[in-house]
Amino acid sequence: DTAVSQTPKYLVTQMGNDKSIKCEQNLGHDTMYWYKQDSKKFLKIMFSYNNKELIINETVPNRFSPKSPDKAHLNLHINSLELGDSAVYFCASSQGPANTGELFFGEGSRLTVL
Amino acid sequence: GENVEQHPSTLSVQEGDSAVIKCTYSDSASNYFPWYKQELGKRPQLIIDIRSNVGEKKDQRIAVTLNKTAKHFSLHITETQPEDSAVYFCAASRGAGGFKTIFGAGTRLFVKA
């Protein structure tokens, strides 16, 4: 059973389009995250949610809108896509706050903006 | 703001040799320091972690050390094998209520057979 699953795995789209990535975890964790990994492999946190509530928004442009309908799901919608949005987006979850233990990552969603 | 620096960015070793990756952090409130391994095209996965009340931790061929005073922590891999080839990330997260893990820039380790 996949602990953290995200879909789709690949997205290829034109500049200006809107796209969504879905994430679900079956670990019973309270906290979920979105990370962006650029072409240089740098992993940068975008958002943290705890029990469906937004806790961290790391100066992400408001074209990015996360939504957590329940604590097992955290989706990411991106409006007006730009070339610089091309990256791998990882969803992750943890039992509680980030300092309490391991982050469990999804497989990643590779977004390519043409 | 919080920052984690990681060195070297690339490390090439011969099979059987040791590999050492070093990190420094800026946020003195950080108290949890995990290390993640990311193989090509895969997700990052935790390989070992250490908390600020511990100076050293070992798990088979992998060990981590932490110097809180200097805000340094290191990953040591002994008897490296080709399957150790991957990108390794150090990370730090802060004390109570902290909800973000800050990652270093990663070290690409090549183990030559």
Side-chain angles (χ1 to χ4, degrees), chain A residues 85-100:
Chain A
D85 297 332
S86 295
V88 179
Y89 292 84
F90 283 99
C91 176
S93 71
S94 66
Q95 178 67 36
N99 63 317
T100 58

Side-chain angles (χ1 to χ4, degrees), chain A:
Chain A
D1 284 342
T2 306
V4 182
S5 58
Q6 50 183 113
T7 56
K9 215 172 165 186
Y10 300 97
L11 306 96
V12 181
T13 190
Q14 300 285 334
M15 263 178 23
N17 284 350
D18 304 339
K19 284 294 176 189
S20 292
I21 308 171
K22 294 186 175 184
C23 179
E24 176 180 3
Q25 54 97 1
N26 63 5
L27 297 166
H29 288 168
D30 288 336
T31 312
M32 294 186 73
Y33 313 81
W34 279 109
Y35 277 85
K36 178 180 180 181
Q37 186 171 47
D38 62 23
S39 57
K40 293 183 180 175
K41 297 296 184 188
F42 191 61
L43 268 168
K44 184 168 167 41
I45 188 163
M46 301 171 68
F47 302 102
S48 294
Y49 270 74
N50 189 55
N51 260 316
K52 305 191 298 175
E53 282 194 37
L54 178 65
I55 303 294
I56 301 280
N57 178 342
E58 262 316 89
T59 60
V60 179
N62 58 15
R63 297 184 295 105
F64 291 78
S65 48
K67 273 209 177 96
S68 184
D70 55 63
K71 73 174 194 177
H73 295 84
L74 179 61
N75 304 323
L76 182 66
H77 187 75
I78 316 170
N79 289 325
S80 305
L81 279 157
E82 300 176 357
L83 293 176
D85 297 332
S86 295
V88 179
Y89 292 84
F90 283 99
C91 176
S93 71
S94 66
Q95 178 67 36
N99 63 317
T100 58
E102 180 177 359
L103 286 175
F104 290 81
F105 285 90
E107 289 186 327
S109 297
R110 182 177 293 276
L111 171 65
T112 303
V113 182
L114 303 173

Side-chain angles (χ1 to χ4, degrees), chain B residues 49-103:
Chain B
D49 56 16
I50 192 166
R51 296 189 184 278
S52 58
N53 57 346
V54 174
E56 189 172 346
K57 183 176 176 181
K58 193 171 178 185
D59 182 3
Q60 298 182 337
R61 295 186 297 109
I62 295 172
V64 289
T65 58
L66 171 65
N67 181 332
K68 269 203 81 178
T69 306
K71 295 186 196 166
H72 288 172
F73 57 117
S74 301
L75 176 73
H76 304 250
I77 307 174
T78 57
E79 299 169 33
T80 53
Q81 300 165 4
E83 51 266 39
D84 294 331
S85 297
V87 179
Y88 291 81
F89 293 95
C90 63
S93 58
R94 67 178 327 191
F99 285 91
K100 60 181 171 181
T101 298
I102 305 298
F103 284 83

Side-chain angles (χ1 to χ4, degrees), chain B residues 20-38:
Chain B
V20 180
I21 302 170
K22 297 184 178 185
C23 291
T24 59
Y25 61 98
S26 61
D27 185 357
S28 54
S30 296
N31 64 352
Y32 175 62
F33 307 92
W35 287 86
Y36 288 82
K37 176 183 180 183
Q38 186 178 26

